[in-house]
Amino acid sequence: FDKDLYEGNEMAGVVTGLAWTPVGGDILFIESNLSRGKGVLTLSGQLGDVMKESAMTALSYLKSNSDSLNIDYRIFQHYDLHIHVPQGAVPKDGPSAGITMLTSMASIFTQRKIKNNLAMTGEITLRGKVLPVGGIKEKILAAKRANIKEIILCYKNQKDVEEIGEEYTKGLKFHYVDLVPEVLEVALLKTKVDNAIEFILPKPKDE
Amino acid sequence: FDKDLYEGNEMAGVVTGLAWTPVGGDILFIESNLSRGKGVLTLSGQLGDVMKESAMTALSYLKSNSDSLNIDYRIFQHYDLHIHVPQGAVPKDGPSAGITMLTSMASIFTQRKIKNNLAMTGEITLRGKVLPVGGIKEKILAAKRANIKEIILCYKNQKDVEEIGEEYTKGLKFHYVDLVPEVLEVALLKTKVDNAIEFILPKPKDE
Amino acid sequence: FDKDLYEGNEMAGVVTGLAWTPVGGDILFIESNLSRGKGVLTLSGQLGDVMKESAMTALSYLKSNSDSLNIDYRIFQHYDLHIHVPQGAVPKDGPSAGITMLTSMASIFTQRKIKNNLAMTGEITLRGKVLPVGGIKEKILAAKRANIKEIILCYKNQKDVEEIGEEYTKGLKFHYVDLVPEVLEVALLKTKVDNAIEFILPKPKDE
Amino acid sequence: FDKDLYEGNEMAGVVTGLAWTPVGGDILFIESNLSRGKGVLTLSGQLGDVMKESAMTALSYLKSNSDSLNIDYRIFQHYDLHIHVPQGAVPKDGPSAGITMLTSMASIFTQRKIKNNLAMTGEITLRGKVLPVGGIKEKILAAKRANIKEIILCYKNQKDVEEIGEEYTKGLKFHYVDLVPEVLEVALLKTKVDNAIEFILPKPKDE
Amino acid sequence: FDKDLYEGNEMAGVVTGLAWTPVGGDILFIESNLSRGKGVLTLSGQLGDVMKESAMTALSYLKSNSDSLNIDYRIFQHYDLHIHVPQGAVPKDGPSAGITMLTSMASIFTQRKIKNNLAMTGEITLRGKVLPVGGIKEKILAAKRANIKEIILCYKNQKDVEEIGEEYTKGLKFHYVDLVPEVLEVALLKTKVDNAIEFILPKPKDE
Amino acid sequence: FDKDLYEGNEMAGVVTGLAWTPVGGDILFIESNLSRGKGVLTLSGQLGDVMKESAMTALSYLKSNSDSLNIDYRIFQHYDLHIHVPQGAVPKDGPSAGITMLTSMASIFTQRKIKNNLAMTGEITLRGKVLPVGGIKEKILAAKRANIKEIILCYKNQKDVEEIGEEYTKGLKFHYVDLVPEVLEVALLKTKVDNAIEFILPKPKDE
Ligand SMILES: [Ca+2]
Ligand SMILES: [Ca+2]
Ligand SMILES: [Ca+2]
Ligand SMILES: [Ca+2]
Ligand SMILES: [Ca+2]
Ligand SMILES: [Ca+2]
Ligand SMILES: [Ca+2]
Ligand SMILES: [Ca+2]
Ligand SMILES: [Ca+2]
Ligand SMILES: [Ca+2]
Ligand SMILES: [Ca+2]
Ligand SMILES: [Ca+2]
């Protein structure tokens, strides 16, 4: 089955994550979508409590660090954000998609492209720390099968990578990070996607 | 019992889907309805969580791709959308009505007719990819019984169709798609329904 | 016990339905009530999920077909609608009160009288189709006991009526329908109830 | 234990109901309270679903029949209504407090006194019909113990009263009613309570 | 363990209640807190349904009797009220903290001090009646251990006090009450707390 | 595993707490985050009911004591507060993070730094009392492992500390407190964090 093949970076907000499942590692796609609205967050894809809180945490981080990413804060107030994780019928949970969801949101809000052939896995905290996650070996095998070339991990997961034989990690470039800005430094390209959204925003009120 | 017969295309928003049930394939109708309101989405027909998320995903996709369909974004804000799937007492779930619900919404928001004798089945993602679904053989048999002439499927379901004997697919035209715009290209006619809604919208505020 | 006796048509919004229960057919009354408010819908009478969705579907149908019934759309926005189904302690569910609830709503919004000695049973869909329901024999027996003279059914239930012996249907006039407008054609009289509500509505805003 | 002793009519909104419990009949008090607000309804006293729906039905009836009781409709919008049924820790349910709650609300909204030594029991419907209830014998015995002199019942409960020996009903005056206005005709005095609320209402907007 | 030691009356809104627990009587503190907001009520301390309803009933009583306590009604609309009952991890329920919560609220809204060395227990109703509660003996023993000098009870609990030997009640002064105003007469001092809140309120709108 | 290593004080709102778990003591971090909004409180990190109520209590305390901390009350109304407790998948509950959450909030609202190498544990009440908590020995051992130098505890926990051998508490400085202001006196430094938020607030309305 070819779901796992890597699918390019023409669209803002589509980021490749790595998941652990009882039958082995897998890749997953986080999709983000903005539409004019009132700042409502919608989550779909049968996400569990922990994964939903991960998304909320990623959004809060982004809101209070919008300046460093040149995101106009009014976008948060005048657009609705929808995060979907295909396949829609497969229940998903856990904190390890934290950096993937945050990167997806950063891309959709900046309309910047995601680096090609990149995957990532790692929990985030509200202050932007990246925490290590489990299932590293299975996730790396799945990434290779899906033609991934670079992987972002918490620096505390480096030891897990080193325990895997080199034949499994050959051809993969690992980025070990401690904080969210390092993730975005690697993942977000400078260029915007084609047909980038031109945000329609009200004039700011006097303050 | 004749519920499964195809029922024409005089009404915007009524689209024929294909469902798998424990006792075989069946057709179902997705109905959409707009009334003046505040952008509220109502879902009925005893839909399960996955199917509800499918509807939310379809709506988000449509909102952020409204330009390409010539939908005035103010309709989303000043009309309420109701999606109903008869029969009202039969529980339904799963992601395979994704493209059917999206087509139904596209039709009701544009008031364009749906192609006659057409049915479809396929999951959608937020970025508009069409994913393959199961139960293809049973669904095709049901479509034939219901006088369907054309069927839209994900291109990844082509191999499932080819595994079925030709005597079962004779007289059916298959459209294999990868993305939502291809679905709408096939399904939405250029002509509007008779008595199309003339949307009543407030003047846009200065921006 | 005389609960089942038919009770006249002096009030808008009171319509007689036919129900199937484990101990036989019964009649039930759908009651509608409007009071100045903000468009809130309240349902009571221990209604189950399917029956609640039926009411929501009926209301959506009415909203988007208000023109043909000469209902000022502002009533939906400036009045609250309450639907109650006595007896309040008896749980009720199922889709078969669909046309009864829709007729009750149509009557309360137009303040038109309901035809005397009339009962009905049938599911509705969002586009206004009437679907067949079960328990026809028991329902007809109950209607006769309650002094009902005319009954509205889906045309697909005609065969169920014909299977019942003529001694049970004698004196009853059956209206077989396919679509909601046919139901209202039979059920709603041209005359308004005495003391019809004079709706108090704000001036429409410029559009 | 003397909870059941009748307690006078100095306060608007306090009405005596009759309840059936597994250990016999009992009286209960319905208390209503208005405070400036936004039309919120609060229910307390560990009320079950059916009893809550009874309260909602009573309020809807009152709202759409406010003219006949000379209640300014703006009170419904600018005051919050709280219904409490002591004792607060005892779960209560069922529809038989319908007319008692409606009378309590009518008294608090009109500030009119309740007739002294009066109790009542009966279900209401949204159109104002009074339906018969059970446990009549036990309720009457409890009313006598609590020094009640007059009782309002549905006319369909008259046969239940007549089955009780005269020695139990001696000294009690029964009012058999069919519709809510008959209940209020008996229960509500013309005089207002001392220190009646002077409602503070905004000027009505132009309409 | 010294949690039960009496803790002074320097703060508005802190009132001592008496609780019955499976291992004997205990005292508890009700804490109230106001902060600028929109009239939201927050309850914490793992309170059960009955206790939450008690708090809601107390607040409704206070709102509709604010004149007699010289509380500006706008405080209810422009401040948020939080009621907390330490210890935060211990589940609590039942109606017997009714008068304690009401007194706490009366103190925080008036900023008046609570009488020193005073405890109380009793259910309230919406019209301000005080109802008797259980566990009187255990509660009195706990009060003595905590250096309480005066106790407010429902007059119907007087017989429970008299059944306890005088050696247990010596040194305690009992206030037997029937109505809420009698509770506040005893509990609320005329003097305000030091650093009393100066409420910031918008000008009332024209009416 | 090195999660427990102490992590500096460069960020406002990050405070070190001490937790008891079935497998021994542990440190945890409370993270607070503000973003422009409407005063919404979001809690994440799989927090149980008691811990959520703790957070609500801390926020209420802070709101009504904002003057003494020089917090502009409009920040509560025009910013959203998010509290997260990593690791996001580990369920957490109990009242003992009360002072830690309150300190985290006080830091984020004032943008003042937290003292370095400081940890704390203790329940709070709404009036600002600090209550003792359990697991003191295990918590102290965890603090030492994580390089903590100072610990804030309720004065009633002093006896628990004294029961531990001096070899375990050597090098640790204990601050025994009774009230919240004593906690903040120790924990909050006078200096603000680098890049402190400059709050954007609307002009106060006339009052
Ligand atoms: Ca796979
Ligand atoms: Ca969970
Ligand atoms: Ca069929
Ligand atoms: Ca079928
Ligand atoms: Ca589910
Ligand atoms: Ca019957
Ligand atoms: Ca159900
Ligand atoms: Ca009794
Ligand atoms: Ca129930
Ligand atoms: Ca104790
Ligand atoms: Ca409960
Ligand atoms: Ca709990």
Side-chain angles (χ1 to χ4, degrees), chain D residues 30-50:
Chain D
I30 305 288
E31 303 177 339
S32 285
N33 178 295
L34 286 174
S35 49
R36 292 174 74 172
K38 298 179 172 180
V40 174
L41 171 64
T42 301
L43 301 169
S44 60
Q46 293 295 100
L47 311 187
D49 292 351
V50 173

Side-chain angles (χ1 to χ4, degrees), chain A residues 91-144:
Chain A
K92 306 159 194 86
D93 207 354
S96 77
I99 60 173
T100 322
M101 291 199 287
L102 194 145
T103 302
S104 171
M105 291 177 192
S107 168
I108 199 79
F109 280 114
T110 61
Q111 292 288 303
R112 289 164 62 184
K113 282 189 171 180
I114 300 295
K115 193 176 206 178
N116 247 323
N117 299 301
L118 173 74
M120 62 188 73
T121 184
E123 178 172 350
I124 53 164
T125 82
L126 192 53
R127 69 188 133 152
K129 282 196 73 75
V130 179
L131 303 184
V133 295
I136 294 298
K137 183 176 181 180
E138 294 82 355
K139 288 172 174 175
I140 287 175
L141 297 181
K144 286 202 73 165

Side-chain angles (χ1 to χ4, degrees), chain B residues 92-182:
Chain B
K92 306 159 195 85
D93 207 355
S96 77
I99 59 172
T100 322
M101 292 199 286
L102 194 144
T103 302
S104 170
M105 291 177 193
S107 167
I108 198 78
F109 280 113
T110 61
Q111 293 289 302
R112 288 164 63 185
K113 282 190 173 180
I114 299 295
K115 192 176 207 178
N116 247 324
N117 299 301
L118 173 75
M120 61 188 74
T121 183
E123 177 172 351
I124 52 164
T125 83
L126 192 53
R127 68 186 132 152
K129 282 194 74 74
V130 179
L131 302 184
V133 296
I136 294 298
K137 183 176 180 181
E138 293 82 356
K139 287 172 174 174
I140 288 174
L141 297 182
K144 284 201 74 164
R145 284 196 307 268
N147 201 30
I148 295 297
K149 303 299 184 200
E150 303 182 47
I151 296 179
I152 302 176
L153 294 172
C154 175
Y155 74 92
K156 291 180 181 173
N157 279 128
Q158 182 162 4
K159 66 180 190 321
D160 303 302
V161 175
E162 289 163 356
E163 282 169 6
I164 311 173
E166 277 193 23
E167 67 273 29
Y168 296 115
T169 58
K170 202 165 48 177
L172 284 174
K173 180 175 179 186
F174 292 94
H175 302 269
Y176 297 111
V177 301
D178 182 31
L179 296 167
V180 163
E182 305 165 50

Side-chain angles (χ1 to χ4, degrees), chain C residues 17-61:
Chain C
L18 298 175
W20 181 91
T21 78
V23 296
D26 204 352
I27 70 165
L28 53 75
F29 299 103
I30 305 288
E31 303 177 337
S32 285
N33 177 296
L34 286 173
S35 49
R36 293 175 74 173
K38 298 178 172 183
V40 174
L41 171 64
T42 301
L43 301 169
S44 60
Q46 294 295 100
L47 311 186
D49 292 351
V50 173
M51 199 161 176
K52 283 179 180 165
E53 289 189 350
S54 244
M56 290 155 60
T57 301
L59 182 56
S60 288
Y61 176 87

Side-chain angles (χ1 to χ4, degrees), chain F residues 41-84:
Chain F
L41 171 63
T42 302
L43 301 168
S44 60
Q46 292 297 100
L47 311 186
D49 292 352
V50 173
M51 199 160 177
K52 282 180 181 165
E53 288 189 349
S54 245
M56 289 155 59
T57 301
L59 182 56
S60 288
Y61 175 87
L62 215 59
K63 279 183 177 173
S64 58
N65 290 275
S66 58
D67 278 358
S68 66
L69 284 163
N70 278 318
I71 301 170
D72 187 324
Y73 82 91
R74 292 171 298 163
I75 302 176
F76 297 116
Q77 299 172 333
H78 296 284
Y79 278 78
D80 292 338
L81 174 63
H82 187 149
I83 305 287
H84 180 70

